[in-house]
Amino acid sequence: MLTFQEENHIYRYDDIIIPSVTQILNDVGLNDSFPDELAAERGKDVHLACQYYDEKDLDESTISDIVKSYLAQYKLAAKSLSCQIIENEKRLFSRVMRVAGTVDRIIRLKGQSYNYIVDIKTGIVRKSSAYQLAGYRLLAIENGIDVARTGYVIDIKPEKFRILEYLLSGENEEIFKSAALIYHSKRR
C-alpha cells in the first residue's frame, strides 16, 4: 500500500521508501533550480486552495490575499480549459519503475473522451516539466488510468495564467524512464 508523509515529502510502498517523480528529476540533474523556502510554502498553500476549490470545500475567508490572487487566476485557467476533473491530487505508484508521485489533476476536456495529466505551477516552469508530466503519465497508465499523449501545465501567477501543452509520449517518456534507471542504478 502506498503512503505519503506530507511533512518530509516521503512516499513508502509496503514500508519501503520510494522516490518521487520530482526527486528523480532533481537527483539526475534535470531540474535546474529549486524554490526558496518561502516560495515552496506559498506553492503548497496555493495547491491546497486549488484542491479544496475543486472539491467545493474551500472557505476563501481562511486564505491569505496572495493565495486568493493565485486562486483567482487558477479559476480563470480552469474555466478556459472547460474541463471535468476526473482525479484531484491522485497518488500513484509504479512497480515497474519503483517511482511514486502525486498528479495534481487528471481532467477531461469538454466534448472529448480523453483524460489529460495536469500539473499546477506557481513558480518557474522548467523544461523538465515535460519529463515530470511524462513520468506521471507512465504512472497513470500502469495504474489503469487511460490518459492522452499530451498534458498541460497550468502556470499561475497573482496577475496572470498560462496553459502550456506538452507532448508526453515518445522522447519525454524515454527521458523519464532513463532518469529513473539512473537514479536506481546509483543506489545499488
Side-chain angles (χ1 to χ4, degrees), residues 27-88:
D27 183 80
V28 301
L30 291 173
N31 272 346
D32 53 4
S33 64
F34 303 96
D36 61 40
E37 206 169 299
L38 183 63
E41 191 63 32
R42 182 183 59 240
K44 182 179 166 188
D45 291 345
V46 170
H47 265 77
L48 278 173
C50 293
Q51 176 185 349
Y52 293 144
Y53 169 78
D54 286 338
E55 293 171 352
K56 299 177 183 9
D57 194 29
L58 177 65
D59 176 356
E60 290 192 32
S61 70
T62 64
I63 59 177
S64 70
D65 288 342
I66 188 71
V67 172
K68 282 180 187 173
S69 65
Y70 280 89
L71 178 63
Q73 295 304 313
Y74 174 75
K75 289 176 183 180
L76 292 172
K79 184 177 179 181
S80 83
L81 277 172
S82 186
C83 65
Q84 172 189 2
I85 296 171
I86 305 300
E87 296 284 356
N88 190 349

Side-chain angles (χ1 to χ4, degrees), residues 127-157:
K127 180 180 178 181
S128 61
S129 294
Y131 314 140
Q132 180 183 15
L133 288 168
Y136 291 150
R137 179 176 188 270
L138 291 166
L139 291 172
I141 289 169
E142 187 177 328
N143 283 273
I145 302 169
D146 188 28
V147 290
R149 294 176 186 262
T150 55
Y152 298 97
V153 165
I154 299 176
D155 176 26
I156 52 177
K157 304 293 184 265

Side-chain angles (χ1 to χ4, degrees), residues 59-123:
D59 176 356
E60 290 192 32
S61 70
T62 64
I63 59 177
S64 70
D65 288 342
I66 188 71
V67 172
K68 282 180 187 173
S69 65
Y70 280 89
L71 178 63
Q73 295 304 313
Y74 174 75
K75 289 176 183 180
L76 292 172
K79 184 177 179 181
S80 83
L81 277 172
S82 186
C83 65
Q84 172 189 2
I85 296 171
I86 305 300
E87 296 284 356
N88 190 349
E89 299 295 324
K90 180 72 173 173
R91 290 196 179 105
L92 298 169
F93 169 68
S94 167
R95 290 177 191 273
V96 174
M97 294 183 297
R98 295 172 294 150
V99 177
T102 302
V103 179
D104 290 345
R105 303 290 182 279
I106 298 175
I107 65 167
R108 183 169 300 141
L109 300 177
K110 187 176 181 177
Q112 294 193 16
S113 58
Y114 301 113
N115 296 324
Y116 295 87
I117 300 286
V118 174
D119 197 60
I120 300 166
K121 302 282 188 198
T122 60

Side-chain angles (χ1 to χ4, degrees), residues 2-12 17 23 44 91 102:
L2 183 65
T3 60
F4 180 67
Q5 291 177 295
E6 185 79 40
E7 59 278 356
N8 49 9
H9 202 83
I10 294 178
Y11 291 92
R12 292 180 193 273
I17 294 177
Q23 286 169 321
K44 182 179 166 188
R91 290 196 179 105
T102 302

